[in-house]
Each structure stands twice: as structure tokens, then as C-alpha cells.
Amino acid sequence: MPKIALNMQILLGALCGILLGAGLAMLDRDSSISQNSLYIASLISTLFIDLLKMVLVPLVFTSIVVGVANLRAHQQMNRVWQITLGFFAFTMALAILLGLTVANVFRPGEGLEITMFKDAIQGFEVSQMSLPEFFAHFLHSLFMNPLTALAQGHILAIVVFALLLGIALVVGGERYQNILILMKEFLELILMLVGWIMRLAPLGIMALLLQLIVAQDITLLTTLIKFIAIVIGVTLFHCLVVLPLTLYLMTGMTPVKFWKGAREALITAFATSSSAATMPITLRCVEQHLHVKPDVAGFVIPLGTTMNMDGTALYEAIAALFVANLVGIELDIMQQLIVFLIAMLAAIGAPGIPSAGMVTMVMVLQAVGLPAEAVAILLPVDRLLDAFRTMVNVEGDMIGSLVVQKWIRGA
Ligand code: ASP
């Protein structure tokens, strides 16, 4: 039998997951076939995600240390920093503007009564975090005992420590050559493990998508259909038009070529709803399929995974306007400007895990005086929307690495 390429296997896995999920959703939830299938699916998907998480921390750490050390050696560090952060801010701003514009035109939430959601809101407790508290928390999470950060998987703190260590390695020069070589070889080994884990990706993705489909509540979906359609529509527009166009204009790479190289990571992001869990695959795709140099990829991808979230930013802006319409508050231009800024902060601060955007959403709502409890209405449909926004988050990181690579070469 001819060997099917992994790319194709992943696509087939995704398709089977969706079809099987749709089939199961029609069956009685309590039937034994349904229960057993869901049990097996949850075993496989947990295994897949656990394996990805297993390699995540050593991968983030070593890829940043090695990436920074190599970049400094080329004396391009400043330019890489500037282009990377500039690109992240630019595309997130585009995403939020797009979200706000469409939400102002289509006004999701208007015509719905907040009382319809009384049950959801009642007894729902939000963990309140005001903007100053969030900022203090964010700052505090940047610096941490590296061993605690590594052991507990605090990605942001790991990123910061690795950046500093990478810089120190270069400043230290020749004397620390052995440590750098050790890091490089460790990174190669971790990437080898990622290659092995990828063989499970078709099955893992099938199991994740099957669960995603079965978990949807049709009644709720139809009630919130306008909001959901707007979020998915705008997210896809950003994914299929805005980002690829930016890529094309900035690097000349065609969208088709990009998607061919990026699809493994995009499908995994969709299925896992976690840019962090997807990172090992994102890194593999940009290096192996899109030919981004490891020093650029090793810097931009881990940083983007924690900071650059176009999908989340866009979602927070639309959701804020949705809640405002729902409770009958008209947000003026100043308030929308506040939504713009806080949505950007909220996206930067949200970790790359499922539904992280929901937690930082509270901050956006509070900043313009909207009821934070409204998050309870959004939560039940979040699994679906999270899949789309995570895919865009990961796409933005990959495009960022291509743009940075092109622009420093062109320097
Ligand atoms: N799940 C998203 C991610 O991992 C974050 C979010 O909830 O918006 O990128």
C-alpha cells in the first residue's frame, strides 16, 4: 500500500473526526456506543495533548536561548526585536479594528433579551480583575525563579528567562561555547521527539474534533447564531484575506504556498484550541515546510505564541460590543477606543491555552462598565469560537516569522 503523507493523514483525520462527531451527535448520548466512543476519543486526545505539553517547556526554553544567541551573533537582534513586536502590534490592531467595524455595522446582541440568559448568569461568579490588578499580575508573571517556571510551565516567565540567558551567552562569548552547543543539541533532540509525536497527530486531531462536534448545544447555538456567525465570519476573513494579504505584500509569498506549509499547525490549533500546545508543531512547520531559519523561528514563534493573538483580540472587541448591545448600552467612540486598547492588552496577556481569552474578557468588559457576569453567556459557545481564534493566533505567528525573516535578510 502506498504510504500516505502525514499532511494528508492529518487532513483525513480531521475530516473523519468531524463526520464521526456529527454521526455521534445524532445518537442518544446515553447509549453505550456513544459513551464508549467518547471515552476512547478522550483517552486519545488527552494523550496527544499531554505529549505535546511534555515537549513544550524544553522546546520553548532551548529554541529561544539558541535563537537569541544566533541572532546576536549576526548582530541583527535589534532589528529582529523591532520588526517582530511591530508586526505583532500592527496585525492585532488590524484585527481589532476589523472586529469593531463589523460589530458596529451588524450590531450582534440587539433584539436579544438579557433575561433569556438569567439561568446562566445566576450564580455565576467571575474572578474579578481590574486593569491595574491585571497589569501588576502581568508584570509579576514576567520574572520568576526559572526552575519554578520550568516545573510549573509558566511560559511567559520561561520566555523571559531564556531571552536573558541567550543574551548573556552571547555577551559571555567564547567562554560559554559549550553551554551553547549543549543547548543546540538538546533542541535537536526535542525536535526529534516532536517528529515522533506528530505521527499520532492524525488520530489525536480526529479525537479532538469528534469531541468538539458532540459537545455543541444546538439550542444555544441557534439563540446566539448572529453573534457566532459574525465572530466566525470576521475571524475567517482575517485568516483568509487580511493576514495572507499582509504576507503577500510584505514578502511576496502566495497564500496557497503558505497554507500548504502551514496546514498541520493550523489544523492542530483548531483542534486543540491551544496555541501553546500547538507550538511544537508550529515551529516544525515554519522551519521544515516554510523554510524559516531556526534562529528566526526559534525567537519569533515562542514569543508570538505567548503575545501575538489576532483571533483573541478580534474576538474580545466583538464580544464587548455584543454584551453592550445585549444590556442596551451604546458605547461611544471614546469607550470603543478603550475597548481597542484593552482588547490588545488582554490578547497579549492571555496565555495560549483553551478559553484563556474568556478570562481576560472580563477586564475588557469592566473597563467600559459592562457587566462581567455576561461572560457566562459566552462561555457555553466558547469551545467552538476558541477553535477559530486559536487557528488565527497561530497563523499570525507563522506569518510573523516569515515577515521577520524576509525583512532582516533585506536589511
Ligand atoms: N485559546 C487561545 C489560544 O491558545 C487563547 C484564547 O482563549 O483566546 O491561542
Side-chain angles (χ1 to χ4, degrees):
M1 208 174 78
K3 206 168 156 337
I4 307 176
L6 185 63
N7 249 324
M8 205 56 207
Q9 288 181 28
I10 290 181
L11 276 179
L12 285 175
L15 203 67
C16 288
I18 293 173
L19 291 178
L20 286 175
L24 270 188
M26 286 184 233
L27 293 180
D28 176 9
R29 269 289 176 90
D30 296 324
S31 67
S32 66
I33 175 151
S34 210
Q35 300 241 339
N36 289 339
S37 314
L38 283 175
Y39 174 69
I40 295 171
S42 85
L43 282 188
I44 299 175
S45 59
T46 313
L47 181 70
F48 177 55
I49 292 192
D50 284 347
L51 283 168
L52 286 173
K53 285 194 189 150
M54 178 181 82
V55 286
L56 176 66
V57 167
L59 186 60
V60 170
F61 183 69
T62 47
S63 65
I64 293 195
V65 173
V66 173
V68 172
N70 285 342
L71 285 175
R72 284 285 297 218
H74 301 157
Q75 302 186 329
Q76 287 170 320
M77 196 61 206
N78 275 345
R79 209 171 146 75
V80 173
W81 264 114
Q82 288 156 3
I83 300 173
T84 306
L85 296 185
F87 178 84
F88 289 171
F90 172 67
T91 52
M92 276 196 278
L94 276 184
I96 300 175
L97 269 181
L98 188 65
L100 284 177
T101 311
V102 174
N104 273 301
V105 173
F106 290 100
R107 309 185 66 78
E110 232 173 34
L112 289 178
E113 298 282 331
I114 187 99
T115 43
M116 285 162 76
F117 306 101
K118 226 169 69 212
D119 286 350
I121 294 182
Q122 244 167 29
F124 180 79
E125 294 211 359
V126 277
S127 46
Q128 309 265 344
M129 208 193 263
S130 64
L131 187 59
E133 278 167 351
F134 174 79
F135 189 66
H137 180 80
F138 181 71
L139 211 63
H140 182 61
S141 64
L142 290 181
F143 304 99
M144 212 180 250
N145 170 354
L147 296 184
T148 311
L150 288 168
Q152 296 180 356
H154 293 288
I155 301 294
L156 199 56
I158 298 174
V159 168
V160 172
F161 183 71
L163 284 174
L164 294 175
L165 197 67
I167 294 173
L169 270 180
V170 180
V171 175
E174 275 298 301
R175 177 161 175 6
Y176 302 99
Q177 203 55 23
N178 289 344
I179 297 193
L180 186 55
I181 292 173
L182 181 79
M183 289 286 175
K184 279 185 183 161
E185 292 186 344
F186 193 44
L187 174 60
E188 280 167 23
L189 289 176
I190 299 290
L191 286 172
M192 200 188 291
L193 295 189
V194 174
W196 295 344
I197 296 170
M198 283 301 290
R199 301 210 183 150
L200 193 67
L203 268 185
I205 285 166
M206 179 166 96
L208 281 162
L209 288 179
L210 183 154
Q211 287 171 292
L212 171 69
I213 302 280
V214 173
Q216 297 312 313
D217 177 341
I218 297 296
T219 337
L220 206 69
L221 285 186
T222 30
T223 317
L224 292 178
I225 189 74
K226 187 169 169 193
F227 170 66
I228 293 172
I230 289 176
V231 172
I232 295 183
V234 178
T235 312
L236 284 179
F237 184 75
H238 195 71
C239 171
L240 299 174
V241 179
V242 178
L243 281 177
L245 193 67
T246 314
L247 173 72
Y248 182 69
L249 292 178
M250 292 188 174
T251 70
M253 181 182 271
T254 62
V256 175
K257 185 166 177 210
F258 168 72
W259 284 318
K260 266 197 184 146
R263 62 189 164 189
E264 284 173 9
L266 296 179
I267 295 175
T268 312
F270 188 91
T272 59
S273 284
S274 166
S275 10
T278 310
M279 203 209 90
I281 301 176
T282 315
L283 202 62
R284 202 178 115 96
C285 280
V286 292
E287 285 184 13
Q288 295 192 357
H289 306 327
L290 298 169
H291 311 293
V292 178
K293 292 267 180 317
D295 43 2
V296 172
F299 173 78
V300 180
I301 296 297
L303 203 67
T305 302
T306 48
M307 286 182 65
N308 181 37
M309 300 201 178
D310 291 12
T312 306
L314 173 162
Y315 173 76
E316 307 233 344
I318 300 181
L321 261 66
F322 166 76
V323 172
N325 287 336
L326 199 62
V327 294
I329 294 176
E330 190 75 35
L331 295 182
D332 61 25
I333 192 84
M334 267 323 279
Q335 285 167 312
Q336 296 209 17
L337 194 66
I338 295 177
V339 169
F340 178 94
L341 292 174
I342 311 287
M344 172 100 76
L345 272 183
I348 294 173
I353 56 174
S355 285
M358 277 286 103
V359 181
T360 53
M361 181 75 226
V362 173
M363 206 175 66
V364 181
L365 295 178
Q366 281 178 339
V368 282
L370 292 170
E373 292 72 21
V375 166
I377 303 166
L378 305 171
L379 261 180
V381 289
D382 195 51
R383 179 67 183 89
L384 180 68
L385 302 181
D386 198 4
F388 285 92
R389 62 177 191 258
T390 308
M391 181 172 70
V392 174
N393 290 345
V394 169
E395 185 190 33
D397 302 338
M398 289 198 274
I399 291 185
S401 70
L402 286 160
V403 169
V404 171
Q405 159 142 306
K406 175 80 181 179
W407 282 27
I408 56 167
R409 291 287 115 91

